[in-house]
Amino acid sequence: MPQKSASTIIIRRLLWLPVLLILISLTVFLFGTYGPGDPVLVRLGSKANPEAVERIRAELGLDRPLHEQYLRYLWNVIQGDFGESTYFQGQLVTDLIAGRLLVSLQLGVAATIIVFAVGIPLGVITAALQGRVWDRLIVSLTLIPESVPVFIIIPVLYFIFVRQLKWFPASGWDGLFSPSAVLPLIVLSIGGIAGVVRQVRTNTLEVLHNDFVRTARAKGLPPSTILRRHVLRNSLLPTWTMVGFVIASLPAGSIIVEGLMGIPGIGGLAWESIFRRDYPVIMAITLLGATLYVIGNLIVDIGYPLIDPRIRY
Amino acid sequence: MWTTRKLLTLAAIGLFVFASNPACRLIQGVQNPGSANPPGPGPRVSREGTLTLLGGDPPTLDPATTGDATSATYIVEIFSGLLTLDRDLRVVPDLAERWEVSPDGRTYTFSIRRDAKFHDGKQVRASDFKYSWERAANPRTLSPTADTYLGDIVGVSDMLAGRAQQISGVRVIDDWTLQVTIDEPKSYFLAKLTYPTSFVVDRENIERGGRTWTDRPNGTGPFKLREWRKGQNIILERNENWYRGAPSLLRVNYILSGGSPITMYENDEIDATVFGILDAERILDPSPNNRLYREVVRDKDGQPGVAMLSTFYITFNVTKPPFDDVKIRQAMNYAVDKDRLISVVLRNMDIRADGILPPGMPGYNPQLRGYRFDPATARRLVAESRYPDLSRFDITLTTVGAGANPARYIQALTEMWKTHIGLDAKIEQVEWATFLDDQFAKKYTFFEGPGWIADYPDPQNFLDILFYSKSKQNHTGYANPEVDRLLLQARVERDQNTRLRIYQQVEQMIMDDAVWIPLFHEKQFWLVKPWVKGFVVAPMIIPTLQYISIER
């Protein structure tokens, strides 16, 4: 079987991206149109005047045939115009998203760094101390975030750190290096850390039982050298696949965390927009999330040969 | 050995950290001075002279397109109109210092204050009002409320329909005099002019600012918009040029990012907050060591909580069986033990509603004959009705909810009907957007809506809008020719006492026809920090920040 170059893979993935985005946008569009709730009525509330509703629907093009609405939307998106929010009068979707993207990006990148910076050392430590108290304790602790949903974790953290200890503010955002970022970062990264710890521990234990590790020990190499040179390189490779998962799961995680914790990021905006039936914003965020997902997986594929030269496409 | 890859990685991390710093604006682009929504972390607002509250993101800050309470909360502070409501909900002069009414009651001549200025110091003239109202009535402005609040003015409906370029009923006599002609002598017209739709806006500001002119509005109200970071906060600062003198508050910081209000209040992150039934038991405990109890806002009688101009109720579609029989509707009213509902389920946090108009509304009738709890009468009425066996009906009570258990008072109500008259109503919860959609399409037979909150303090705002047979807001299908006749008569009655008597008569007729089951009038409960003086909890949205000061 002829081997494909990495660039061929990347190009093929990138060519698929627009097709994927069209399919996703069509799905969201159809759900939005056929689902219950009218964005104009949500904006005007229970005292809406029917004539005003009709006028505004016509102005926003919501009275046009469905295919026409969708094709117009697609044509505008191709030109970089995601339209106007149906809730925030006169506000462009791109402006709304731009204002919140940096907050989510900071949280997302910081959470990803924390997941691996904490998860990998803990995973290696537990493997090295297999069967001892610390190993059992850490592995048991990783079960908590895996089995308790975030909407339980958040109130518990709030009760301890906000209500009782008053260490952190109850809501809001003062930047990544402020107390307001601590709880969101904990919640965003705690699940990922647990996954990485267990994955690294399993991989490391597997590698530790290989013949070449025994040979290295027999040669009298110090344990730290064995771990760095022989064990880690081989055990971290499967962990690399988790980078993609962590990045890809960030948008979904941030919707819940930002929505519940009052963080003015993209997730919070998505959460609010769903209740407001603000379809232009929901569509734009969905497309952004899908793009992130594809890029996350692409990073994993590109990273494989860099970590292990034996892997070729 | 520093390889290129390592250096690049370090550079990327450094750049990210640098961009994350609130003080850094390099990566965030050059800030557009015309944008009130710059990206990046929120500012740390000085607490000195600042009132901090929780708020919501307003759908608009354009007075002409205001149709919701969240937007109105900010707009009444940033902008103003000819008239306003004082703390006792009386219509009082604002930018108009006085007005005269013609003998036929159709023409109002307003004299505009000479010291009325926009935030930038520019004089407010009569022509600014003409421009503002014509802009609101222009179909391209997409005002959801121009018909409701300006529709009485001659020529507004023509402009809204695209048949005219100007409002024929608005004339600029000179810089300080504005003449307005309405279609019929309606005494509640002045009350409508206190709503944001009729507020004055600056033409230059709008033409220069384009689509996002409200990011930098040049209003006339006691406060100016300093900053609006969507999803983060809105900061208002006092208008030093306000014609009544600068307010005491330097700044008002509305936190938009949500959070737990009571926790934030207890942590001193906000200075005042509304609270509900879930926190009531702890906060309203009068024991001496409960600091929160001492910080609860009280009404004029010294009782915790302030009554709102609102009524919450159950609505029937009176055209559908079994609710097309008045005896069934009356029986359902008699079967409800409101006193128990209020004391047990609502913990006395609301006021029992016997009629449609809330206490405090002109024309409120304490002698109104409502429906006292009387299960025997309820059973007798069912037996006398066309539907003596209610168990054969598949009845669904629709209510707004988010998927958890329905409100406890709704569950209690259905239990009362089942126990006393054998009506087994299923509860169907629908999400807010769906409810609006279906209510608009008149799909419901029997529902508990979002309540009716006054837009202006006049009984016409309840009785005419909700029960006149041709009203767009009549969701009941109720059409009583005698009620219609009296409502039309009340619209043009010049004598206020006579007018209010007519409305009381109408209210009694509607209650006799049992079109609603009025449940309660809402009370709002607020906590306010001791250093906040002059905090006003108003029964409806009026400008209140001008009365507040901070004394730490």
Side-chain angles (χ1 to χ4, degrees), chain B residues 207-360:
Chain B
E207 288 174 355
R208 253 206 327 266
R211 198 176 36 76
T212 56
W213 73 272
T214 50
D215 285 353
R216 277 272 188 275
N218 186 27
T220 49
F223 285 83
K224 298 190 272 192
L225 177 71
R226 194 181 97 183
E227 195 158 48
W228 175 14
R229 293 165 180 267
K230 293 187 181 61
Q232 295 188 55
N233 59 350
I234 280 181
I235 300 170
L236 303 183
E237 66 182 6
R238 72 181 179 191
N239 173 12
E240 304 285 353
N241 294 323
W242 196 42
Y243 73 86
R244 289 190 222 172
S248 169
L249 283 176
L250 290 177
R251 244 169 269 104
V252 185
N253 178 22
Y254 291 93
I255 297 169
L256 309 179
S257 48
S260 163
I262 302 300
T263 306
M264 293 171 83
Y265 181 84
E266 290 187 90
N267 288 4
D268 288 351
E269 291 173 48
I270 52 177
D271 296 316
T273 183
V274 71
F275 65 90
I277 200 162
L278 294 176
D279 299 294
E281 198 170 342
R282 180 169 69 97
I283 295 169
L284 296 176
D285 167 19
S287 54
N289 56 356
N290 182 11
R291 184 177 53 85
L292 290 176
Y293 181 67
R294 294 195 297 276
E295 295 172 7
V296 174
V297 174
R298 287 153 196 281
D299 63 13
K300 285 172 182 157
D301 303 325
Q303 293 302 311
V306 176
M308 298 286 109
L309 281 184
S310 65
T311 305
F312 287 76
Y313 53 90
I314 302 284
T315 303
F316 303 107
N317 182 334
V318 300
T319 64
K320 295 188 177 174
F323 307 124
D324 56 349
D325 188 332
V326 66
K327 289 188 172 173
I328 294 293
R329 301 197 301 265
Q330 289 170 336
M332 289 180 72
N333 266 283
Y334 277 122
V336 175
D337 185 351
K338 283 183 208 168
D339 287 335
R340 263 184 78 202
L341 207 65
I342 300 288
S343 61
V344 178
V345 183
L346 298 171
R347 309 264 176 86
N348 290 315
M349 288 186 74
D350 296 290
I351 303 161
R352 190 187 71 217
D354 292 322
I356 296 157
L357 298 177

Side-chain angles (χ1 to χ4, degrees), chain B residues 19 58 86 119 129 172 221 272 287 314 326 332 399 401 403 408 412 425 430 454 514:
Chain B
D86 67 8
H119 291 158
F129 276 97
V172 175
S287 54
I314 302 284
V326 66
M332 289 180 72
T399 175
R408 286 176 61 208
V430 290

Side-chain angles (χ1 to χ4, degrees), chain A residues 7 15 28 44 80 89 98-99 109 129 134 137 142-143 173 177 188 190 196 213 216 226 247 290 296 310:
Chain A
S7 56
L15 285 175
V28 175
L44 303 190
Q89 293 167 38
V109 173
L129 303 174
W134 281 109
L137 183 71
T142 61
L143 292 174
W173 178 254
F177 299 100
L188 268 177
I190 199 166
V196 169
V213 176
I226 295 172
I247 292 174
R310 291 172 304 174

